[in-house]
Amino acid sequence: MTTNPTEQTPDTAAAARSTALRWATAAGGLATVASTFLAWTFTSEFPGDLTVYGYPGGLQVLTLVAGLFVTLLALASLGVKGLGWLVPTGSAKALRMAALGAFGTTWFTVLAIAVKLGGLVNLEPGGFVAALASAIPLVAFLLPDDTRKAGRPRELPSWAEILVIVAVFGAGLYVVTYGIDTEYAELFTGYLITVGFAMAALIKSGAIARLSALTAKYRQVTVIAAFVAAAAFPFTQNTDVYTLIAVNILIFATVALGLNIVVGLAGLLDLGYVAFLGVGAYTAALVSGSTASAFDIQFPFWASVLTGAAASLVFGVIIGAPTLRLRGDYLAIVTLGFGEIFRIAMGNLDGVSGPQITNGPNGIPNIPDLEFFGYNFGEPHTVLGIELGSYANYYLLMLLVMILVVVVFSRAGSSRIGRAWVAIREDETAATAMGINGFRVKLIAFALGATLAGLAGTVQAHVQHTVVPEMYQFAGPVPPNSAFLLAAVILGGMGTVTGPLLGATLLFMIPAKLQFLQDYQLLGFGIALIVLMRFRPEGLIANRRAQLEYHETDQPDAPDKGLPESGVGITKAGA
């Protein structure tokens, strides 16, 4: 039997179809980019001024970036030289995520124009062109899943690999700064859509895994680059408006990282953790020299910080000693009660219901700015020819505090006591049987977490210039509170360093930027946690152990090599 040489085999036909779909995806990405140079609406009432031809503005810029990203991924999957680093593994899954990002950003903009201005009649032809063009890359969903594994990356000189790390952190600084500096809710929503799907695409493509291997190889360079990028943020700001948001994010993230010791490492469900932040803040306020303080004393900066941390440590031991013999729900109820007792007690120490210490519901206002060796944090200072405002000073201070907390968390987590925490979290009965003193180990975790929260609280008191009981509730309209902190740890990824930092950043910045969501925060968090439990139960940034536990079915079966062929003795199923 002879075959026609022009007749395609099934494999050849599938390859040709896959190539055509990738070219269509690239063409759709380019069409999406081109559409941003057209006017999308005829009125400038929609923020961002999308009425100009030849010059993208506002949300059009995000659509342009998303379309360009789709095009680059599609060309990389086609084997275009110089772009292979974008898709070490899964080009099909990465293309789908990128296509969804471009589609989501563009259609959100079109619908926002229609809703805000009163109908689709307010769209110029460019808006319809953009909507259709962004739908073309969705043909990537017709691609079959990738089955190839990542090949060995081409070796680069050491200086080139270091340059890649520096460039990535520089790009990260720009992306974060752009998000914090967004001026209106529509632009920030589009930013979240674009960045979220772009990160998902990079994860699916394997690029993030390669970058992680590179940062692990040059750990010191990575740490320095991360610190420099973070420290450079206030130098990119002209005012203190967004720097204040960044300061609060750092405070929130620092406290969340302290809670991660208690919840993520030791497995203790603490629902009143924000009270330790309040202990540190009230202690610093009382010794700050404030005119409303019940004590006519003013400690220097270092003494105020140590006093606040020590007070939180003492409260952590006092509360933990009788309660840590409880487990599970009982421990959660007791810690929730402690948080509420602290808030109510601070409101009753007003000279009427109790001693005159905290001024009751009025709190302690007029807390002066910190001063350290003559450097007043409340005054602008010129550094490297750039004037830094007062919140920039507190931002740099909180950055140093966060570095200290990260070091403590990392060292403690990898130490002998850290391994004991993990053992207690996994199975306290088994850990006790192996000789671990469960009560002492849990008390250390509780006390250390309380100390770190108190440390952040001492700075928060001076940043806010006042402390009131309502700032330290279980759940409230303004973070940080216990519900926010616990959600940040779970959302970001328990037991990791970067997870709570990312979770705290998202949970603080989203309500701060999207004011209309403030009345629905708890509803939004509940929906987010449900979605997370379904698709990524280990959190956005997963601990390796948790990732293996939650995705056991995704792991390849153990090989049969070495097992008895007769079936006598150990079998694969029995193992």
Side-chain angles (χ1 to χ4, degrees), residues 184 227 386 528:
Y184 47 93
F227 174 75
I386 300 176

Side-chain angles (χ1 to χ4, degrees), residues 219-574:
R219 190 174 299 275
Q220 291 184 348
V221 174
T222 302
V223 172
I224 294 173
F227 174 75
V228 171
F233 172 79
F235 294 92
T236 65
Q237 303 298 304
N238 295 323
T239 65
D240 269 352
V241 175
Y242 300 115
T243 309
L244 175 59
I245 295 178
V247 173
N248 287 320
I249 288 174
L250 287 182
I251 294 173
F252 190 13
T254 302
V255 181
L257 197 57
L259 178 61
N260 198 26
I261 294 178
V262 180
V263 177
L265 293 182
L268 306 174
L269 184 55
D270 188 348
L271 298 182
Y273 186 75
V274 74
F276 297 118
L277 176 70
V279 170
Y282 265 99
T283 303
L286 290 172
V287 300
S288 65
S290 168
T291 55
S293 173
F295 307 107
D296 189 19
I297 54 176
Q298 182 172 3
F299 284 4
F301 165 69
W302 61 269
S304 175
V305 170
L306 291 179
T307 304
S312 296
L313 170 63
V314 171
F315 269 85
V317 174
I318 292 175
I319 300 301
T323 61
L324 288 177
R325 301 185 187 279
L326 302 173
R327 297 187 188 181
D329 298 340
Y330 302 102
L331 177 62
I333 293 171
V334 171
T335 55
L336 175 61
F338 163 65
E340 290 302 298
I341 289 172
F342 170 80
R343 179 178 62 83
I344 295 172
M346 294 301 102
N348 288 336
L349 299 179
D350 56 356
V352 178
S353 302
Q356 170 60 8
I357 298 178
T358 64
N359 295 323
N362 296 323
I364 305 176
N366 304 322
I367 300 174
D369 288 297
L370 288 173
E371 188 168 341
F372 189 57
F373 289 114
Y375 187 94
N376 192 309
F377 284 79
E379 298 177 356
H381 296 275
T382 302
V383 179
L384 301 177
I386 300 176
E387 184 174 330
L388 298 180
S390 59
Y391 290 125
N393 300 325
Y394 283 110
Y395 172 88
L396 295 175
L397 175 63
M398 274 308 306
L399 185 61
L400 294 176
V401 173
M402 173 172 283
I403 291 174
L404 174 62
V405 174
V406 168
V407 171
V408 171
F409 180 88
S410 301
R411 297 293 184 183
S414 59
S415 66
R416 180 180 178 182
I417 192 69
R419 293 192 293 272
W421 288 336
V422 173
I424 290 291
R425 182 192 68 194
E426 298 299 325
D427 192 328
E428 184 173 352
T429 303
T432 304
M434 295 301 294
I436 296 176
N437 188 328
F439 172 74
R440 185 177 64 182
V441 167
K442 291 191 292 184
L443 186 59
I444 292 174
F446 209 75
L448 180 58
T451 304
L452 297 180
L455 184 66
T458 59
V459 181
Q460 185 204 32
H462 293 275
V463 171
Q464 303 289 349
H465 294 103
T466 185
V467 289
V468 292
E470 286 71 21
M471 295 172 61
Y472 310 104
Q473 304 180 51
F474 169 72
V478 180
N481 54 59
S482 293
F484 274 66
L485 293 171
L486 189 60
V489 173
I490 297 174
L491 176 67
M494 294 190 296
T496 64
V497 174
T498 53
L501 305 185
L502 176 61
T505 301
L506 292 176
L507 292 183
F508 188 93
M509 193 159 66
I510 290 176
K513 286 294 185 179
L514 305 179
Q515 298 291 333
F516 65 91
L517 287 179
Q518 288 197 354
D519 294 335
Y520 307 97
Q521 287 180 20
L522 294 180
L523 175 63
F525 294 158
I527 294 174
L529 290 177
I530 291 172
V531 173
L532 198 70
M533 285 188 291
R534 171 61 184 84
F535 295 103
R536 197 171 177 84
E538 69 274 20
L540 295 177
I541 299 178
N543 176 274
R544 180 62 177 167
R545 180 194 300 269
Q547 195 170 30
L548 292 174
E549 290 176 355
Y550 285 116
H551 299 280
E552 289 181 1
T553 57
D554 297 339
Q555 307 304 317
D557 292 335
D560 294 336
K561 187 177 182 179
L563 297 177
E565 295 181 359
S566 63
V568 179
I570 300 177
T571 63
K572 183 179 177 181

Side-chain angles (χ1 to χ4, degrees), residues 3-93:
T3 58
N4 186 352
T6 62
E7 189 176 308
Q8 290 184 331
T9 64
D11 290 343
T12 305
R17 178 173 175 271
S18 177
T19 301
L21 290 173
R22 295 175 196 276
W23 277 114
T25 303
L30 284 176
T32 304
V33 171
S35 70
T36 62
F37 292 89
L38 304 174
W40 288 12
T41 182
F42 58 84
T43 174
S44 59
E45 292 182 11
F46 188 82
D49 194 5
L50 311 184
T51 64
V52 182
Y53 281 87
Y55 188 81
L59 282 159
Q60 288 177 322
V61 175
L62 296 176
T63 296
L64 185 150
V65 172
L68 186 60
F69 186 57
V70 169
T71 304
L72 290 176
L73 280 180
L75 294 177
S77 67
L78 287 165
V80 175
K81 190 175 181 180
L83 295 178
W85 56 273
L86 273 174
V87 284
T89 53
S91 59
K93 293 181 179 180

